[in-house]
Amino acid sequence: MRYKENKETYSRSYSNYEEQTRNHKNHKMNEVSIFRLYLLRATYLLISVGLGFTIWPQIIQHPTPWPLWHGVGCSLLGAVSILAFLGIHNPLKMLPILFFELIWKSIWLITIALPLWLTGQMDSENLETAQNCLMGIIVPLVIPWPYVWKHYVETSRDRWK
């Protein structure tokens, strides 16, 4: 008899947990408009497909060994394309991928492209990379900044110990 009571109590508490989890997920999604969620999904799709067509062929078939940083860069962008693909399904959970895109492109444009451009030393490879990075201008436009502020800045932090 006692086993049956415990089992019922466990079932009820697990059901409550499932319901709370569902409500929490729905609440998070309701904080961001459905239009914004679809914009995020489209952005993740654009990143995933764009990198899929440009980076993955290089990763799969490169006849000679790459210089160190070219290999590192392609591997990193390949990982971004996979993670961006996951963002199509979970647009809010994968926001750090968009932060990464925004930050690395901003750093590159400010520290590499801008000085080259200002001194008239911009070559065709750097110009192409700068143009590709400037396409990332859409990223800060689609990020739901109030959601980011609430969930990444204002929330309580994880424990240190």
Side-chain angles (χ1 to χ4, degrees):
M1 187 69 135
R2 188 163 174 85
Y3 170 75
K4 195 172 190 178
E5 289 172 5
N6 286 341
K7 187 176 177 184
E8 287 176 18
T9 303
Y10 173 76
S11 291
R12 275 190 304 237
S13 63
Y14 185 72
S15 304
N16 287 341
Y17 172 76
E18 282 182 321
E19 186 176 331
Q20 288 172 350
T21 303
R22 234 184 344 268
N23 289 340
H24 180 69
K25 283 181 183 176
N26 289 338
H27 177 68
K28 273 186 164 183
M29 291 300 221
N30 289 335
E31 289 180 60
V32 178
S33 72
I34 194 75
F35 177 73
R36 179 68 60 142
L37 290 172
Y38 279 108
L39 274 178
L40 285 168
R41 287 183 171 110
T43 303
Y44 290 121
L45 181 64
L46 180 68
I47 292 168
S48 187
V49 170
L51 291 174
F53 281 118
T54 58
I55 296 299
W56 278 101
Q58 292 180 53
I59 291 173
I60 292 170
Q61 46 186 299
H62 57 279
T64 60
W66 281 334
L68 173 66
W69 287 110
H70 183 75
V72 169
C74 284
S75 300
L76 188 129
L77 291 174
V80 167
S81 72
I82 293 169
L83 293 171
F85 184 76
L86 296 175
I88 297 167
H89 181 66
N90 293 305
L92 296 177
K93 286 183 181 176
M94 299 307 287
L95 279 173
I97 293 301
L98 296 182
F99 302 157
F100 177 77
E101 279 286 296
L102 177 63
I103 293 166
W104 88 256
K105 287 178 179 184
S106 298
I107 290 171
W108 192 88
L109 286 167
I110 292 167
T111 63
I112 307 297
L114 184 60
L116 289 173
W117 181 71
L118 289 174
T119 58
Q121 298 175 359
M122 181 77 79
D123 62 9
S124 62
E125 285 183 349
N126 283 310
L127 180 61
E128 182 182 350
T129 302
Q131 289 169 340
N132 291 337
C133 285
L134 286 170
M135 286 177 49
I137 196 80
I138 65 166
V139 171
L141 301 176
V142 301
I143 291 176
W145 292 109
Y147 176 89
V148 169
W149 183 260
K150 183 176 180 183
H151 291 274
Y152 288 88
V153 179
E154 287 184 343
T155 60
S156 60
R157 309 298 183 267
D158 291 336
R159 294 182 1 208
W160 287 86
K161 292 182 182 183

